[in-house]
Amino acid sequence: MGGEVFRRLIFLPVTLFFVATLVFLALRALPGSSIELLGSQFTTAGLKEQLIADLGLDKSIWEQYGIFLGELVRFDLGRSFLTGKDVSSMVGETLPVTIELAVASLVVMTIAGIGMGLLAGAFPGTLADGLLRTVSVLLFSLPWFWFGIVLIIVFVLWLGWFPAFGRLPSSVDYEAVTNFVLIDAIILGRFDLVVPWLKHVTLPALTVGLTTSGVLMRLTRVGVIETAKTDYIRTARMKGVPGPRVFFRHILRNVALGILTVIGVQFGAMLGGSVIAEVVFGYPGIGRMTVDAVLNRDYAVAQGGAIVIAAFYVLINLATDLSYRWADPRLRRGGR
Amino acid sequence: MTGPLVQIENLTVRYPLGGGLGARGVLGLAPTNLEVQRGELLAIVGESGSGKTTLGRAMLRLIPAEGAIHFDGTEIIGLGRRELAQMRSRMQMIFQDPYSSLNPQKTVGRTLSEVLAHVGIPRAERRARAEELLSQVGLGADAYPRLPRAFSGGQRQRIAIARALATGPDLVVADEPVSALDVSVQAQVVNLLLDLKAERGLTMVFISHDLGLVSAIADRIGVMYFGRLVEIGPAARLSRSPAHPYTALLNDSMPPPSVAAARATLEAAAQTGAVELPSLMDPPRGCPFAPRCGHASASCRETPPALHPHPAGGLVACHHPLNTD
Amino acid sequence: MSAPLLSVRGLTAELGSGAQRVTALRAVDFDVRRGEITAIVGESGSGKSTAAMALARLNEGPQGAFSGEVRFDGMDVLSLNSRALRSLRGQGIAMVFQDAAAALNPCETIGDQIAEAMVVHKARDWRAARAHAIELLGEVGMPEPARRAGLYPHEMSGGQRQRAMIALGLACDPALLIADEPTTALDVTVQGQILALLKSIVARRDMGLILITHDLGVVAALADQVLVMYAGRIVEAAPVAEFFDAPHHPYSGDMITAASVALDAGGRLATIPGRPPHSGDVGESCAYAPRCARASNQCRAALPSLEPHGTRRRACFHPLDDA
């Protein structure tokens, strides 16, 4: 198992190299450069050339690529040419925001998906099962941004229960330490941050969590139904184990293994989903940072954001696989 | 042509362990020498983990193997993809599970026509040939347009046999072809194989766990244990006077359908100790059967016995063979 | 003679739903006594497994309904409420299934799976239950039982898993054990050991054993009584020695001939023509008639009933003892 982790970790830089190359080339392929977008703002004649030289845009694309990779190897993500800020510190600020949102979405997805799945799987073929399956189809066929906008219309504009934009009200004074609100709330004793944050995170988390819960619901349902048919569940019933105990101790434990993988894969997908939710809800995470940077042709920021998201995605999948191996005795303790 | 149809030299199969970087291999098949004579029915017998299926698949190059396989004089391990594809039509396999070996989406006719097309039968003749094959395996031409799910296990195995015969093979390797079938149907399918073998002059390798069955139908029997051929010889000799203690154990393990004999078998089984195969990761130095063997001596645990001729015929890999007089 | 432990009368089972609903068992009658091994023999679709599961109502539900009477130890099994039924399962009747690799929970250790039965039925605490599980593993001949109790099913050999399955069945001292093809998935050299184990357990614990099998060799080795099933009915019931000496039903005779696996003068194996009927293909005539060499018009027109004849029962118009 140690060897497996090692092998997977070796492939991480390879994956990242491909992601970096792809992002680099894709950005260059977009029409219009950062300089052109600034366009008329240059008043002094020499300033434009100065900036082009500073950014290295006068060099050939392959030279730029070489420099980019060289910096990447030294973990130098460069600077934003718009704000001059260090991309690493921008990532440091925005990544926790996204992780926070993704975890909140995961909680929503897990509760909604597994809850609906268990209910439907325990009583297959009933009216409740039919209703829940219809709901799940609706949920996973909804476009995320559309669902987000509907939530804004209903809960923000009509009911006024939740704020629509941002992560915390602008009135709140928050000096970040880790930039995870809940962790900082404990470190700084700022428990007044929790409720406003929850209000802000609810709608984006519902958008991402509910739209992804449909898949989880179906898998949980099928898992429960299939497991209930297995020989070892028949054995459990033949032992005289009461129905609820068969369900929770035997069926659920075995279904949980399958669900765990799905949750892990979905968590990775949620990082992607967060990009959309962040844009719709004006949520200041790494997704929105990257999208903004692409629109502004702020190459260094866009590249840095994409690479960090990719690295995170790979690491989460690795963690999921490992946790699965640990949870399933057949994988944890190989053959005889 | 004379000489054996198949001649195998040092055929060895290693299964990778763990996969990826730094993988070790375990021996699925220890270096094996074997000849299959033209027109014979050679049975390969063994229990799970004996390597009998591995040997069968390696013989047809369905899995990677080392060593040499001479098929009708041509060495096939070194063959390229195209030449191998041509040789393949001369050697076919029938698998155990008639449910998973047929594509459920394809009609019987389509399955057969595809094979016939592959061996160059013109389109116009394919249907007639396929229907002829179906009647040869005891199914009517009405089977042609139907899907596999319309057939019982025994009928599906007949379809699989028709498919194997469609290429006009010289050699058929049948891997447990009847063990998934009902007792009363098993004999029907075995009889069909025997009839077809006689009619077409086929050479057949019949892989089975059932020594009783193959004793009745085979010309020669090879017994495998832990990836090794431990005994091979005329079927009648092996079932009447086995030379390897493991062959004797197999012979004595099956309760026959007669009360007195079956009870005696049970008495004997109650006396034998726990059955443990040696570990593939850590194969024993000497004879792999020694830990279970009543005749094992110190030399058995030290030196692996090689196959050598037995006075009553055939070869046996044992330091203390039985029935030598 | 003491009262039978299990007494089955007119057991009929309807399985499946809608148009697929079939009568999988028809009017099955038999008794099982303590210390006695009853073998139910048949091919696929004969109803032998359905009968076994019906005794503990395991296949009951929207897909399965039973009628008739199953008396176990004075209880009317088919009318038990769910609580009493749970108590019967495991404590009164236990079952050993064919494929122990599938029948054991892959995510729980062997010891815990055996212990759970005691925790559920006897309200034992886990510690005591696990200790007793180790004793049971010892009783079924598991080497190093204390260590093996902590293993998962995949870490054992096929024979060990089947021993664990048997230990699980014995956990709450049932009076009747039902073994459904207990050795079919095992290697031949292991089969005999498991059969010998079952035989010694039945003798030592004075239990009843119902052995479901397709293998006449297994029947000959173990059984006291033989019930032959075909198309959902018992076609012959006889003491084992008499059965093998002189089967009365042509199907029994054909099966015994086929099981001896020998080539005839023409170089072919003895066969039974045709194939076993699908479960539920039971008409109002003898189901074996289409395959039977002795069949007459009478067989194709009427259903022979299961009649007593000396020490046995048989359902045939032209039994083999009629010259």
Side-chain angles (χ1 to χ4, degrees):
Chain A
M1 188 162 151
E4 172 71 11
V5 178
F6 180 71
R7 275 194 291 276
R8 297 280 297 265
L9 283 175
I10 284 186
F11 281 106
L12 181 61
V14 179
T15 313
L16 291 185
F17 167 76
F18 281 113
V19 170
T21 306
L22 207 66
V23 171
F24 179 88
L25 294 175
L27 279 172
R28 279 2 177 238
L30 286 175
S33 75
S34 33
I35 304 303
E36 283 159 30
L37 286 180
L38 285 177
S40 55
Q41 296 182 29
F42 295 109
T43 45
T44 330
L47 188 60
K48 185 173 175 180
E49 284 67 34
Q50 173 73 43
L51 197 57
I52 288 175
D54 278 358
L55 288 168
L57 293 177
D58 53 342
K59 298 194 174 67
S60 81
I61 194 162
W62 298 115
E63 276 178 276
Q64 292 182 43
Y65 179 59
I67 293 168
F68 161 64
L69 286 185
E71 288 176 351
L72 197 60
V73 169
R74 296 192 297 272
F75 296 103
D76 180 358
L77 294 176
R79 286 176 177 281
S80 163
F81 93 99
L82 282 180
T83 61
K85 274 174 86 172
D86 193 30
V87 175
S88 305
S89 65
M90 289 173 74
V91 167
E93 279 168 31
T94 53
L95 184 62
V97 176
T98 297
I99 294 176
E100 226 171 48
L101 175 56
V103 170
S105 308
L106 194 74
V107 170
V108 172
M109 175 189 85
T110 307
I111 293 173
I114 295 183
M116 291 192 297
L118 290 183
L119 204 61
F123 308 102
T126 59
L127 183 66
D129 179 31
L131 277 177
L132 287 168
R133 285 164 72 188
T134 312
V135 169
S136 82
V137 173
L138 272 179
L139 286 177
F140 70 62
S141 52
L142 289 180
W144 295 11
F145 67 91
W146 181 85
F147 188 57
I149 290 168
V150 169
L151 288 184
I152 291 178
I153 292 172
V154 175
F155 290 103
V156 180
L157 300 182
W158 290 359
L159 299 172
W161 291 355
F162 297 102
F165 293 102
R167 180 195 194 202
L168 283 168
S170 50
S171 56
V172 172
D173 176 37
Y174 169 41
E175 195 75 36
V177 179
T178 61
N179 215 11
F180 288 99
V181 170
L182 291 182
I183 296 177
D184 283 358
I186 294 166
I187 295 175
L188 303 171
R190 289 282 309 276
F191 296 103
D192 59 308
L193 291 173
V194 174
V195 170
W197 173 75
L198 275 178
K199 280 190 164 181
H200 279 81
V201 84
T202 300
L203 291 185
L206 281 177
T207 305
V208 180
L210 286 180
T211 46
T212 44
S213 68
V215 177
L216 187 61
M217 178 271 176
R218 303 220 118 194
L219 284 163
T220 307
R221 175 181 175 275
V222 170
V224 169
I225 292 173
E226 290 303 314
T227 307
K229 286 185 198 155
T230 59
D231 284 6
Y232 59 85
I233 295 306
R234 183 181 61 183
T235 305
R237 291 199 294 131
M238 191 57 217
K239 278 198 284 194
V241 178
R245 190 181 168 104
V246 171
F247 189 80
F248 288 104
R249 186 178 163 94
H250 293 271
I251 297 184
L252 208 52
R253 195 189 280 196
N254 284 282
V255 172
L257 285 174
I259 296 177
L260 194 65
T261 334
V262 179
I263 291 179
V265 172
Q266 292 279 59
F267 188 51
M270 271 172 185
L271 288 173
S274 302
V275 174
I276 296 167
E278 284 168 16
V279 171
V280 173
F281 291 94
Y283 210 76
I286 193 168
R288 206 183 76 159
M289 176 194 91
T290 309
V291 170
D292 286 350
V294 170
L295 295 177
N296 294 327
R297 307 291 186 272
D298 192 347
Y299 293 154
V301 178
Q303 287 159 1
I307 290 166
V308 169
I309 291 175
F312 206 71
Y313 185 84
V314 173
L315 285 175
I316 284 178
N317 277 327
L318 177 62
T320 309
D321 279 8
L322 294 181
S323 63
Y324 188 77
R325 273 154 195 281
W326 172 82
D328 187 339
R330 280 163 298 189
L331 296 174
R332 170 162 34 114
R333 297 177 21 178
R336 347 165 216 147
Chain B
M1 269 296 227
T2 50
L5 180 65
V6 186
Q7 190 176 4
I8 287 169
E9 287 162 18
N10 284 321
L11 189 67
T12 310
V13 177
R14 277 173 226 281
Y15 288 120
L17 203 64
L21 305 171
R24 291 172 298 151
V26 297
L27 270 186
L29 181 66
T32 299
N33 295 296
L34 182 69
E35 287 179 355
V36 187
Q37 305 298 335
R38 283 167 206 277
E40 82 166 328
L41 200 168
L42 170 67
I44 300 291
V45 178
E47 298 179 280
S48 54
S50 65
K52 58 186 191 297
T53 294
T54 304
L55 172 63
R57 296 190 175 191
M59 197 185 288
L60 300 190
R61 255 198 77 179
L62 294 173
I63 51 174
E66 301 153 36
I69 303 168
H70 299 280
F71 182 84
D72 205 10
T74 311
E75 203 291 306
I76 61 168
I77 287 211
L79 282 189
R81 191 181 288 251
R82 183 171 299 178
E83 294 112 319
L84 182 65
Q86 282 185 343
M87 292 302 275
R88 277 270 164 76
S89 65
R90 300 184 54 193
M91 36 180 158
Q92 288 292 311
M93 188 141 188
I94 298 166
F95 298 94
Q96 170 173 1
D97 181 2
Y99 291 87
S100 62
S101 67
L102 294 172
N103 185 335
Q105 314 290 340
K106 284 187 192 167
T107 62
V108 172
R110 200 166 145 219
T111 297
L112 294 179
S113 302
E114 281 177 7
V115 179
L116 291 168
H118 189 71
V119 292
I121 305 294
R123 182 177 295 272
E125 293 172 29
R126 281 178 212 154
R127 174 145 196 162
R129 289 286 284 271
E131 290 180 350
E132 192 189 326
L133 281 165
L134 287 171
S135 77
Q136 281 176 6
V137 298
L139 295 170
D142 59 335
Y144 188 90
R146 295 159 78 187
L147 288 169
R149 68 161 175 268
F151 298 94
S152 69
Q155 290 172 319
R156 284 181 203 220
Q157 206 57 308
R158 288 171 190 269
I159 296 166
I161 292 168
R163 180 179 57 184
L165 295 180
T167 64
D170 300 314
L171 172 71
V172 171
V173 176
D175 187 359
E176 300 266 18
V178 298
S179 40
L181 307 178
D182 265 312
V183 186
S184 69
V185 179
Q186 284 190 0
Q188 295 174 5
V189 175
V190 171
N191 281 341
L192 172 67
L193 285 170
L194 294 179
D195 291 348
L196 291 168
K197 178 181 166 295
E199 278 164 28
R200 299 178 162 237
L202 292 174
T203 304
M204 194 174 285
V205 175
F206 193 102
I207 298 168
S208 177
H209 69 280
D210 189 343
L211 186 55
L213 171 65
V214 302
S215 296
I217 62 168
D219 298 312
R220 285 195 303 150
I221 298 175
V223 178
M224 294 192 68
Y225 187 76
F226 194 63
R228 288 149 179 84
L229 197 59
V230 297
E231 179 168 10
I232 183 165
R237 204 274 286 153
L238 256 80
S239 54
R240 226 176 302 122
S241 50
H244 199 285
Y246 177 64
T247 312
L249 175 64
L250 277 184
N251 243 340
D252 297 341
S253 293
M254 290 165 308
S258 111
V259 176
R263 308 243 154 170
T265 301
L266 200 62
E267 290 291 315
Q271 306 306 318
T272 59
V275 178
E276 286 298 319
L277 274 182
S279 159
L280 276 172
M281 318 283 179
D282 182 22
R285 205 146 33 117
C287 172
F289 188 62
R292 290 171 67 183
C293 183
H295 307 271
S297 64
S299 65
C300 298
R301 288 178 203 99
E302 288 303 314
T303 329
L307 278 173
H308 50 83
H310 186 264
L315 304 167
V316 61
C318 179
H319 292 312
H320 312 290
L322 313 169
N323 298 311
T324 45
D325 34 85
Chain C
M1 212 183 231
S2 60
L5 174 66
L6 176 80
S7 170
V8 178
R9 290 294 174 268
L11 181 62
T12 297
E14 310 264 334
L15 297 184
S17 56
Q20 254 119 63
R21 195 149 179 107
V22 294
T23 305
L25 278 187
R26 256 204 201 186
V28 168
D29 295 355
F30 66 96
D31 291 340
V32 177
R33 284 165 216 286
R34 279 184 180 273
E36 186 182 76
I37 301 177
T38 302
I40 304 184
V41 201
E43 296 178 277
S44 60
S46 65
K48 60 186 193 298
S49 289
T50 305
M53 301 228 278
L55 299 180
R57 286 164 59 189
L58 258 189
N59 40 4
E60 190 180 57
Q63 304 273 323
F66 308 115
S67 56
E69 189 186 53
V70 176
R71 285 222 156 258
F72 175 80
D73 219 3
M75 282 179 286
D76 179 3
V77 174
L78 294 188
S79 62
L80 290 181
N81 64 22
S82 68
R83 194 190 172 86
L85 182 62
R86 269 208 316 277
S87 162
L88 173 76
R89 292 175 180 168
Q91 291 197 102
I93 303 179
M95 227 181 256
V96 172
F97 298 103
Q98 170 175 353
D99 183 2
L104 291 168
N105 191 333
C107 295
E108 233 182 312
T109 62
I110 293 296
D112 282 4
Q113 295 189 48
I114 299 171
E116 189 189 16
M118 294 176 259
V119 171
V120 166
H121 288 300
K122 311 218 151 167
R124 290 216 193 164
D125 65 77
W126 276 97
R127 252 178 98 98
R130 284 198 184 100
H132 190 211
I134 293 171
E135 281 171 34
L136 285 166
L137 286 172
E139 183 185 342
V140 299
M142 181 81 84
E144 302 175 74
R147 183 176 77 81
R148 290 230 157 66
L151 297 186
Y152 291 93
H154 76 275
E155 295 173 308
M156 298 182 155
S157 70
Q160 288 170 359
R161 277 196 290 262
Q162 198 55 285
R163 285 178 199 272
M165 190 82 228
I166 293 169
L168 196 159
L170 298 179
C172 296
D173 303 309
L176 177 67
L177 191 63
I178 301 172
D180 189 356
E181 301 271 9
T183 57
T184 306
L186 301 176
D187 278 327
V188 274
T189 55
V190 186
Q191 285 185 10
Q193 300 186 337
I194 297 297
L195 293 175
L197 171 67
L198 285 171
K199 186 167 184 148
S200 71
I201 287 171
V202 168
R204 188 167 56 233
R205 293 181 167 237
D206 196 28
M207 298 169 70
L209 173 67
I210 296 177
L211 181 70
I212 314 288
T213 183
H214 70 278
D215 187 338
L216 286 175
V218 170
V219 177
L222 220 57
D224 300 310
Q225 297 287 327
V226 186
L227 305 175
V228 181
M229 289 194 70
Y230 194 80
R233 298 178 73 225
I234 293 177
V235 295
E236 180 162 6
V240 69
E242 292 167 41
F243 176 78
F244 282 100
D245 276 354
H248 280 193
H249 198 284
Y251 178 59
S252 312
D254 291 347
M255 289 278 280
I256 292 172
T257 310
S260 58
V261 197
L263 292 187
D264 59 18
R268 311 178 96 246
L269 297 174
T271 64
I272 305 177
R275 57 184 164 106
H278 290 297
S279 152
D281 271 359
V282 209
E284 291 311 316
S285 60
C286 175
Y288 191 58
R291 306 174 75 187
C292 182
R294 299 168 76 90
S296 66
N297 286 334
Q298 185 187 14
C299 308
R300 289 181 275 271
L303 187 67
S305 58
L306 187 66
E307 300 291 346
H309 182 90
T311 52
R312 58 178 107 197
R313 293 176 292 154
R314 63 194 195 190
C316 182
F317 293 125
H318 310 293
L320 295 169
D321 64 322
D322 280 8

